């Protein structure tokens, strides 16, 4: 496959901006301005920069520091903790869950599962970056996808994107995405 063209902002906080832009374009998820999302592993704020530019309300979770411009945005809220340390009620009303943590895939999946399975968190879809700390972990990808499907996500796909390194991008939706022109989510 070819690379998806991405327009860079004048000042890009980090490469995560490009990864998120490519992931959204590839997955064709339909996020709307005003949607609430959580980004686990958000530092320094590149992906959040893109999400904020698209009009989302972003709750960023990471124990590390966030870029001052992202931190000052009125639609950004930083919780300076690891995802597993945040009270689940903080995620109430979150429609989209994004994660890009520098940990093993099973740890990322454990954290996301705890958040997404909380009854008051109406997650509609997720984009996850799973770090393959060892290339042998690529053999585990079918198991990772099966695990995500077991959480009620019907449309689950993985791909190594042009802006990924030793990692894969997983897009998951609760309802199937109709492919083709003018595609919308099917319930």
């Amino acid at each position: 496959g070819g690379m998806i063209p991405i327009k860079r902002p004048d000042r890009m906080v980090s490469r995560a901006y490009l990864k998120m832009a490519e992931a959204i374009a590839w997955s064709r998820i339909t996020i709307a301005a005003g949607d609430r999302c959580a980004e686990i592993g958000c530092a320094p704020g590149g992906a959040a920069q893109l999400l904020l530019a698209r009009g989302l309300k972003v709750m960023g979770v990471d124990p590390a520091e966030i870029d001052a411009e992202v931190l000052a945005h009125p639609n950004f809220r930083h919780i300076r903790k690891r995802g597993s340390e945040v009270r689940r009620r903080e995620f109430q009303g979150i429609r989209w869950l994004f994660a890009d943590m520098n940990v093993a895939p099973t740890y990322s999946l454990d954290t996301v599962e705890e958040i997404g399975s909380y009854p008051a968190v109406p997650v509609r879809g997720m984009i996850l970056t799973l770090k393959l700390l060892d290339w042998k972990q690529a053999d585990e990808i079918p198991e990772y996808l099966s695990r995500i499907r077991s959480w009620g996500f019907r449309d689950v796909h993985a791909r190594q994107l042009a802006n990924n390194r030793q990692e894969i991008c997983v897009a998951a939706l609760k309802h199937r995405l109709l492919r083709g022109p003018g595609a919308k989510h099917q319930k």
Side-chain angles (χ1 to χ4, degrees), residues 42 69 96 136:
C42 67
E69 184 179 314
W96 301 100
K136 292 177 186 173

Side-chain angles (χ1 to χ4, degrees), residues 72-90:
H73 196 287
N75 287 333
F76 183 79
R77 176 177 167 226
H78 182 209
I79 297 180
R80 198 166 185 169
K81 296 180 180 181
R82 289 178 173 78
S84 60
E85 299 170 344
V86 179
R87 292 177 166 217
R88 298 301 164 245
R89 68 177 177 223
E90 295 287 340

Side-chain angles (χ1 to χ4, degrees), residues 33-72:
D35 281 354
R36 293 189 63 219
C37 69
E39 187 197 355
I40 314 302
C42 67
Q49 179 186 21
L50 174 85
L51 297 169
L52 292 165
R54 292 187 177 201
L56 275 77
K57 295 179 180 178
V58 181
M59 179 175 76
V61 179
D62 200 301
E65 290 188 28
I66 304 299
D67 177 83
E69 184 179 314
V70 172
L71 197 56

Side-chain angles (χ1 to χ4, degrees), residues 78-120:
H78 182 209
I79 297 180
R80 198 166 185 169
K81 296 180 180 181
R82 289 178 173 78
S84 60
E85 299 170 344
V86 179
R87 292 177 166 217
R88 298 301 164 245
R89 68 177 177 223
E90 295 287 340
F91 294 93
Q92 289 179 345
I94 296 295
R95 294 178 52 96
W96 301 100
L97 188 56
F98 304 107
D100 187 355
M101 298 179 275
N102 289 316
V103 296
T106 52
Y107 182 89
S108 292
L109 293 173
D110 289 347
T111 300
V112 170
E113 182 177 18
E114 288 176 21
I115 295 165
S117 64
Y118 188 72

